[in-house]
Amino acid sequence: MYKLRLIPDNTSYPFMKGRIIGLAMSAFLSVISVILFFHPGLNYGIDFKGGIVIEARLQQPADFPALRTLIGNLDLGHAALQQFGSPNDVLIRLERQGTEDSAAQRAADKVRATLQQSYPGTEIRRVEAVGASVSEGLFRDGMLAMGLAMVAMLIYIWFRFEWQFGIGAIATLVLDVTKTIGFYVITDIQFNLVAIAAVLTIMGFSVNDKVVVYDRVRENLRKYKTLPLRELIDKSINETLNRTVNTSITVFLSTLPLALFGGEAVSEFAIVLLFGIVLATSSSIFIAAPILLFLGENRLRRGQPSDQPEAKAAAQRP
């Protein structure tokens, strides 16, 4: 039976030759992402800025001019209407209704009643109404969850590996998160509680991928005691390349249908996750490993190559 192998066995790609370009490109993209975070900024969803989202399915294709007039006559401020899925499905977004939390719920009930009265048989499939105080609490809790997750991963990496590995993993994680934030700004995908879940998932996937590579590096440090660190890191990445690529492709393919057919909330989560899978996989090779090389040179690998066969072969390579 023919078995497809995307990565051949016994590869010896010199990944560390591109370490400077990888780090420079990563730092550049992260700086751009931070600038984009401040201007123009994230498109916060109603979870964080308050407002109303109503998902409705009509009995006939939606007449958007008539719907805009109908909702506009309710005097609830700016309303954004969007078609998604079938022509009968409508997504209605309303801005925050005053400072009282109960005002959002009253406005949502008003829209629901108006739609069902004007379009009999309308199915209200989802209603989210978030007031001012609730949105502020959700934003604070979301940021706290991200901060605690990062601290927990830092502690885990710190205890499991030497400090050079810990700094490499956490620095790469910060770069991955900033680029993900930049992706949210560029794509204008809503940043809400679902976005927090997506970022936390990417953080977990990213750290797990780096632990696999770092574990092999640490194992090879014990196995090849005189092999130069640069050669050893290249060897470790090549040895784990098949596992890294296959795992990433598997997760990518299982997430792709959600991005294509998952509906608004799930689709946005899946699109960001697809970006994060590619980002985390590439950062393990081109960011985490070079940082380890810079920090570990003359610390993790001391002494000169001896007369061991692997050291001699490594020393003769360009």
Side-chain angles (χ1 to χ4, degrees):
M1 181 179 175
Y2 177 74
K3 295 182 179 178
L4 176 64
R5 295 188 71 84
L6 297 176
I7 306 295
D9 293 328
N10 303 318
T11 59
S12 56
Y13 300 124
F15 291 106
M16 289 304 98
K17 280 187 176 179
R19 62 191 185 283
I20 303 296
I21 296 176
L23 287 173
M25 182 63 71
S26 174
F28 173 75
L29 292 176
S30 289
V31 169
I32 294 295
S33 297
V34 171
I35 294 173
L36 290 174
F37 171 74
F38 288 105
H39 182 77
L42 291 165
N43 173 24
Y44 291 105
I46 67 166
D47 295 344
F48 294 157
K49 69 178 182 183
I52 301 167
V53 171
I54 298 175
E55 183 180 322
R57 171 166 289 178
L58 309 181
Q59 292 296 312
Q60 66 276 358
D63 182 352
F64 281 90
L67 280 170
R68 288 193 179 89
T69 302
L70 183 68
I71 302 299
N73 290 337
L74 297 178
D75 195 24
L76 297 174
H78 175 70
L81 277 68
Q82 176 188 351
Q83 179 192 327
F84 73 99
S86 74
N88 295 13
D89 294 329
V90 183
L91 195 68
I92 302 170
R93 290 193 179 91
L94 295 170
E95 60 186 22
R96 193 168 70 183
Q97 305 294 311
T99 56
E100 295 181 5
D101 292 342
S102 59
Q105 192 56 55
R106 287 197 301 271
D109 292 341
K110 197 172 181 180
V111 173
R112 185 207 309 260
T114 302
L115 282 176
Q116 291 178 333
Q117 182 180 2
S118 302
Y119 298 95
T122 296
E123 178 186 357
I124 305 298
R125 309 185 73 183
R126 177 166 66 107
V127 177
E128 295 179 15
V130 180
S133 61
V134 174
S135 63
E136 290 173 4
L138 290 174
F139 183 78
R140 183 180 59 250
D141 292 345
M143 295 300 107
L144 181 63
M146 286 183 62
L148 290 176
M150 190 164 289
V151 170
M153 290 179 194
L154 171 63
I155 295 173
Y156 170 71
I157 295 290
W158 205 270
F159 276 98
R160 179 163 179 176
F161 297 99
E162 291 85 348
W163 64 268
Q164 293 91 348
F165 292 88
I167 291 179
I170 296 303
T172 308
L173 189 60
V174 171
L175 292 171
D176 286 353
V177 170
T178 54
K179 292 188 197 71
T180 305
I181 297 298
F183 181 76
Y184 269 103
V185 177
I186 292 173
T187 57
D188 204 33
I189 292 176
Q190 288 189 65
F191 193 81
N192 48 23
L193 288 177
V194 175
I196 296 293
V199 173
L200 290 175
T201 305
I202 292 172
M203 289 168 64
F205 184 85
S206 176
V207 169
N208 178 68
D209 206 51
K210 280 133 195 79
V211 166
V212 170
V213 176
Y214 280 178
D215 256 340
R216 184 57 60 92
V217 171
R218 189 170 59 175
E219 180 183 326
N220 284 339
L221 280 170
R222 292 193 293 263
K223 190 175 180 182
Y224 305 101
K225 294 184 180 302
T226 58
L227 191 64
L229 186 58
R230 174 177 164 177
E231 302 290 340
L232 187 140
I233 290 176
D234 270 339
K235 181 178 180 61
S236 303
I237 294 174
N238 278 287
E239 288 176 352
T240 56
L241 194 59
N242 243 318
R243 183 266 178 205
T244 298
V245 171
N246 287 335
T247 301
S248 298
I249 289 177
T250 302
V251 179
F252 189 96
L253 291 178
S254 63
T255 308
L256 187 60
L258 296 177
L260 297 176
F261 310 110
E264 191 203 31
V266 177
S267 176
E268 291 183 352
F269 172 84
I271 290 171
V272 177
L273 201 55
L274 292 178
F275 170 78
I277 291 167
V278 176
L279 180 69
T281 304
S282 59
S283 68
S284 297
I285 298 173
F286 297 107
I287 302 174
I291 291 176
L292 179 63
L293 176 59
F294 286 121
L295 295 177
E297 198 82 78
N298 301 322
R299 295 186 179 90
L300 292 174
R301 170 64 66 225
R302 291 188 174 89
Q304 299 300 318
S306 71
D307 55 355
Q308 290 188 9
E310 72 277 11
K312 280 187 174 181
Q316 292 170 358
R317 282 195 285 271

